[in-house]
Amino acid sequence: MLFAASVTVKIQAIPPPYDDVANHLRKRFIVMLSIRNSITGATLIVACICSGPATAQTSSAVNSSTEISAYPDGIIQFFQEPEGGGGGDGKLQCSLTFVSGTYSFRYDENNCKGKWDDVTRVKVIGIPSASTFTLYDDENCSDRDNQVFIYTLKSVKNPTTTDLSIPIKSMVPTPVGQLLPGTTLRMEKNHSLRDPRDLLGCVRIVRSAVPDSK
């Protein structure tokens, strides 16, 4: 007689030998990810800190440039009488940018050097308000009282431009505090001993300051 036997085999799941390795690699990956995130965050912080002052400096430079362009220096020009006594500005002798300074027409290195006693008329173009310029017979811009003339004029409009050149001799009758006829230039000092003729020797310019930005 044959006996049939039923055999049941129970197989248990055996942990793979690589589980420990996988766990170790997983932990290393998490640590590396944390380090990378920390470095990225620090980089962003440094970038923000570094870009802050640069942005501020750029903005300041743009504002400064805008302020200067809104208040340009302007020009002052010097002429001789028109030929034949005709109209117009006359013959241009030289021009100066309207920047603060003392400009001798005899001694200083400027566009008008050598033109002393050759100028009879003055014209301004686009000079800022509250600026002054002084015309001297003296070739060193001294304030001595025995020179033929000293005329200080102040612009009262921004910008100030004279339509035509102004004969220096026409300034004689304008009292201090009054505008030269047909201009926005106010007489601040009027010292006249005799006809100025073509005796301009020196000019002193005081350009007004650019207003502070608000």
Side-chain angles (χ1 to χ4, degrees):
M1 179 179 292
L2 296 175
F3 295 92
S6 176
V7 179
T8 302
V9 179
K10 187 175 182 181
I11 301 174
Q12 281 187 331
I14 301 174
Y18 50 79
D19 276 359
D20 290 341
V21 176
N23 289 334
H24 178 69
L25 292 176
R26 189 181 301 110
K27 291 179 181 179
R28 288 190 62 183
F29 175 76
I30 292 172
V31 171
M32 291 175 66
L33 183 62
S34 176
I35 293 173
R36 188 196 69 175
N37 291 340
S38 298
I39 293 175
T40 302
T43 302
L44 291 174
I45 292 173
V46 171
C48 290
I49 292 174
C50 292
S51 64
T55 302
Q57 290 173 2
T58 301
S59 176
S60 175
V62 170
N63 289 340
S64 177
S65 177
T66 301
E67 291 168 4
I68 292 173
S69 63
Y71 296 89
D73 294 325
I75 297 172
I76 184 168
Q77 297 181 323
F78 304 93
F79 299 82
Q80 281 185 337
E81 291 296 321
E83 293 183 5
D89 288 325
K91 183 179 180 180
L92 179 63
Q93 296 297 295
C94 59
S95 301
L96 295 172
T97 303
F98 201 86
V99 175
S100 295
T102 299
Y103 304 90
S104 171
F105 285 19
R106 184 172 185 178
Y107 302 113
D108 294 341
E109 294 297 331
N110 58 62
N111 291 340
C112 293
K113 183 177 182 180
K115 298 297 182 180
W116 82 99
D117 293 351
D118 287 338
V119 171
T120 60
R121 291 171 171 253
V122 179
K123 182 176 185 177
V124 294
I125 302 173
I127 68 172
S129 61
S131 298
T132 65
F133 62 95
T134 303
L135 310 176
Y136 294 87
D137 163 33
D138 184 86
E139 294 158 1
N140 291 302
C141 281
S142 73
D143 291 316
R144 59 184 177 85
D145 293 334
N146 61 342
Q147 62 187 297
V148 174
F149 66 85
I150 304 174
Y151 302 122
T152 299
L153 299 165
K154 184 174 186 177
S155 56
V156 296
K157 179 183 178 181
N158 190 59
T160 288
T161 296
T162 52
D163 294 332
L164 291 172
S165 61
I166 306 166
I168 297 175
K169 63 183 180 182
S170 72
M171 301 177 185
V172 176
T174 304
V176 171
Q178 298 297 313
L179 296 178
L180 287 179
T183 76
T184 53
L185 295 171
R186 186 175 66 210
M187 185 68 74
E188 298 291 300
K189 181 173 183 175
N190 186 327
H191 169 79
S192 301
L193 291 183
R194 57 181 173 84
D195 183 359
R197 297 194 310 250
D198 56 350
L199 299 176
L200 182 62
C202 191
V203 176
R204 177 174 290 136
I205 295 173
V206 180
R207 187 212 190 279
S208 58
V210 176
D212 294 332
S213 59
K214 300 299 182 182

